[in-house]
Amino acid sequence: MSVVQIKNLQRRLGNLSDEATSELDRVCGNELWRSLGFDAFDNLEDSDRRAMANYYYGQWQVVRELQEALG
């Protein structure tokens, strides 16, 4: 992979991370999910919100793992 491709991938991963973070903040109504992880979603009464939070948390975790692998 060229340097340009890696930089573009890192930029796109950053955008995905930002999207997931802002959606999780919105769905949860706070930033507790950052320290509690999935436990923060247990308090969400609405199953649709809980499902959305789980989706975006999974996305956020995958992006973090890929960012770590890329360095």
Side-chain angles (χ1 to χ4, degrees), residues 24-25 27-28 30-44 49-50 52-58 60-61:
L24 283 164
D25 287 346
V27 170
C28 294
N30 56 51
E31 296 179 1
L32 287 176
W33 65 269
R34 294 176 194 214
S35 59
L36 298 176
F38 283 112
D39 293 334
F41 312 145
D42 290 341
N43 295 330
L44 296 174
R49 288 178 61 203
R50 197 168 39 251
M52 187 178 289
N54 282 314
Y55 170 79
Y56 281 110
Y57 190 76
W60 183 77
Q61 282 185 313

Side-chain angles (χ1 to χ4, degrees), residues 2 4 6-7 22 24 32 35 41 54 65 67 69-70:
S2 73
V4 171
I6 291 173
K7 286 187 179 193
S22 64
L24 283 164
L32 287 176
S35 59
F41 312 145
N54 282 314
E65 290 173 15
Q67 287 173 327
L70 290 172

Side-chain angles (χ1 to χ4, degrees), residues 13-23 60:
L13 288 172
N15 290 341
L16 285 171
S17 178
D18 292 345
E19 175 190 15
T21 300
S22 64
E23 286 298 315
W60 183 77

